[in-house]
Amino acid sequence: MKVVYSARYHIDIGLHVFPTLKYRLVHDSLVARGTVRAEDFIEPQPATWDELALVHTSEYLEKMRTGTMMPDDVAQLELPWSEEMVEGFRLMVGGTIQAARIACGLQDRSLSEARTSEFRVTVHIGGGLHHAFPNHGEGFCPFNDVAVAVRVLQARSIERTAIVDLDVHHGNGTAFIFESDPNVFTFSIHQQHNYPMWKPRSSLDVGLPDGAHDAAYLRELERALPKVMATGPQCVFYLAGADPYEDDQLGGLRLTKDGLRERDRMVIEAVRSASCPLVITLAGGYARRVEDTVAIHVATIEEAMTA
Ligand SMILES: [Zn+2]
C-alpha cells in the first residue's frame, strides 16, 4: 500500500486549534510502528494552478496566489495568509491527486488504461479540505483537494466517483461543487448542530444529534453504505475525520476510538467488496490531546493496511 505524504504539510499557521503537526506525527508513528515501509511513502507534487482551476474561480485563485485577500476572506478561511500556507496546501491538493492516480492505476506504466474495477487503497496523510468552495475558502480549507482530484479523474474518463465524508462537520464545499453533477455521489454523516450553518445538499446527508455516540452512528453508516456503493463508483474517496471523537474540541458526536475504528473497517470493507479503488484522506481532528488525533488516524491507516 502506498502512502502519500510530505514533511511540508507541517505548515506554520501560528497558535491554532488546527494542529498541522499531526501529519508529521502520523508519519513518524507509522514509521516507528513499522506499519509502512520507507519505500512506500510517496512525496507529492503540488497541484498546478490549472488543476486548481478545475474547481476554483480564477478570481479566487488570483487572490490566494498574490496575497490580496480582504480581511473578510481571511476571517472566513480562519487561516493567516502566507506564501508558505498557500504552497503547503497546494502541495496537499497534489497529494490527493497523486493518491487518486495511484489507486486507479493511472500511475502504473504497465497498464494501458485505468484500473477501476479492482480494490486498491491509497492513503494520503493529508487532505479532506471539504469546506472550500469554488470562489472562497473557509474553515481551515483553502482549496478543495478531493473535488480537484475528482475533476482530474473525470478528465481521464473516470466519470463516476463517490465521496464518503465522515468528518464530524458537514462537507459544505464538496456538496455545493457537485450539487448538479449526477456522476459524483456525495455522502456525509455529520453533527447537525455544528459548523457549517449553511449545509448545501449532498446526495445523501445524515445529520446526527449532539452526543449520538457509537451505536447510533454505526447504525446509520451501515444503512447508508449500500446506497453509496449501489451508484457504481469507479473510485471512492473517504474523508476519515478524527473529529467525531468524544474528546474533540470542535466536535460533539462523542464516538470512542473503538467506534471510529469500526467505522473505518465498515467503509473499507464496503469498498473492498465492491472491488473499487479507494483513496483515504485524513480531514479534521482537534482532540484536546494531539496524541489522540494521531492515534485515530494511525488506526485508520492500519485498517487500510490489513484490508
Ligand atoms: Zn471537521
Side-chain angles (χ1 to χ4, degrees), residues 128 130-131 139 165 167-170 195 241-244 248 250 283-286:
H130 58 168
H131 300 309
D165 186 339
D167 187 278
V168 81
H169 304 101
H170 179 260
Y195 169 88
D243 48 11
D248 196 273
L250 302 184
Y286 317 94

